């Protein structure tokens, strides 16, 4: 783990405090900049540090959605579902790249392999959409 500067940790704490004040509503980037009185790159670095701190300290993660902006996820069921979907997405990607990919390289005109590849990519895209935070 890279050592963080005290200034970055202070920014992460400012962002965390601002998000707690409006919870569960969330804040878009420009409102977060105004609330914390930080510029865009400071907010971005502070968010990255806050995400690391959330992971280290088992806090709820900071999420971004189009409707709410940045907010904390409070639902354990949502976190478990997202983790399961992410795991399945990884399994499908490994299946595509590890099994179907080499077959397609050996037999590029194989109708069966092309069909299976298209089906797997459709499943992968559906899982990727489901694993993203709701909008």
């Amino acid at each position: 783990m890279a050592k963080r500067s005290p200034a970055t940790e202070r920014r992460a704490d400012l962002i965390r405090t601002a998000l707690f004040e409006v919870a569960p509503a969330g804040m878009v980037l420009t409102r977060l900049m105004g609330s914390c009185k930080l510029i865009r790159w400071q907010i971005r670095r502070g968010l990255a540090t806050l995400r690391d701190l959330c992971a280290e300290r088992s806090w709820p993660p900071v999420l971004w959605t189009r409707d709410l902006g940045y907010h904390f996820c409070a639902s354990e069921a949502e976190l478990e579902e997202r983790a399961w979907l992410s795991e399945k997405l990884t399994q499908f990607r490994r299946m595509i790249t590890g099994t179907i990919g080499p077959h397609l390289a050996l037999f590029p005109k194989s109708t069966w392999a092309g069909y299976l590849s298209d089906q797997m990519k459709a499943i992968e895209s559906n899982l990727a959409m489901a694993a993203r935070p709701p909008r």
Side-chain angles (χ1 to χ4, degrees):
M1 180 177 77
K3 188 171 181 172
R4 291 185 283 269
S5 71
T8 305
E9 288 189 4
R10 189 183 121 276
R11 291 178 194 127
D13 191 48
L14 282 171
I15 293 169
R16 184 176 63 89
T17 304
L19 290 176
F20 275 141
E21 287 175 359
V22 297
M27 294 180 116
V28 294
L29 185 66
T30 52
R31 280 193 58 215
L32 200 52
M33 288 169 54
S35 175
C36 297
K37 299 193 180 12
L38 298 172
I39 58 178
R40 185 177 302 268
W41 70 267
Q42 291 173 326
I43 291 288
R44 297 275 187 212
R45 288 187 181 171
L47 282 167
T49 301
L50 182 58
R51 285 187 176 113
D52 291 342
L53 289 173
C54 289
E56 289 172 8
R57 299 177 183 171
S58 299
W59 292 345
V62 176
L63 301 175
W64 180 85
T65 60
R66 189 172 292 191
D67 295 333
L68 297 176
Y70 292 98
H71 65 283
F72 286 107
C73 175
S75 169
E76 286 185 34
E78 183 181 345
L79 291 175
E80 288 176 12
E81 179 181 344
R82 202 168 297 154
W84 182 84
L85 288 169
S86 179
E87 179 182 331
K88 293 300 175 191
L89 180 60
T90 301
Q91 289 175 357
F92 274 104
R93 284 186 176 147
R94 287 181 182 160
M95 171 89 167
I96 291 170
T97 59
T99 305
I100 299 171
H103 183 79
L104 283 173
L106 289 174
F107 306 103
K109 295 184 181 183
S110 172
T111 306
W112 178 83
Y115 174 75
L116 187 57
S117 176
D118 292 342
Q119 291 296 319
M120 296 299 280
K121 286 180 183 177
I123 293 169
E124 179 186 11
S125 66
N126 286 333
L127 283 174
M129 285 186 358
R132 279 191 232 139
R135 293 181 182 190

